[in-house]
Amino acid sequence: VQLQASGGGLVQAGGSLRLSCAAPERTFSTYIMAWFRQAPGKEREYVAFVDYDRKKYYSESAKGRFTISTEAAKNTMFLEMNSLKPEDTAVYYCAAGSSWSRLQAGFDYWGQGTLVTVSS
């Protein structure tokens, strides 16, 4: 499964960005879909994911500010990010996995990452 993340860039604190993740057909009906991020010098952390039952989960840092969504017709997953903070600066990765535990362990399928830089 090849995933292609895009949409990163430089934004001022308080601004918004929408990340996209292009995926092959039927990916969203086959896998758990997730966004992770890795800030410089820090470990990778999860941001949000959509489970098999289409329920959405968010990290504490993402709750209320970020929204994960999938558009099956376009084979694209999105991460809408609002009220961005400098601490949101990171490389953001989209991922598809057969289980949440496998994704957390870094297995299954990962996009190449897109850099988000939030200036203060």
Side-chain angles (χ1 to χ4, degrees), residues 42-104:
K42 294 188 177 181
E43 291 189 356
R44 183 179 61 225
E45 62 176 359
Y46 108 92
V47 177
F49 72 95
V50 182
D51 208 340
Y52 285 114
D53 58 4
R54 316 322 298 167
K55 189 171 180 180
K56 300 173 183 179
Y57 299 85
Y58 296 92
S59 66
E60 284 302 315
S61 62
K63 271 181 193 175
R65 299 188 300 128
F66 296 1
T67 302
I68 188 172
S69 62
T70 58
E71 192 168 335
K74 295 184 178 181
N75 299 311
T76 304
M77 176 173 67
F78 299 100
L79 184 68
E80 185 76 36
M81 304 186 295
N82 299 311
S83 303
L84 283 162
K85 306 174 183 179
E87 51 263 44
D88 294 317
T89 295
V91 177
Y92 284 71
Y93 299 91
C94 57
S98 57
S99 72
W100 179 235
S101 59
R102 287 184 62 82
L103 281 178
Q104 285 185 305

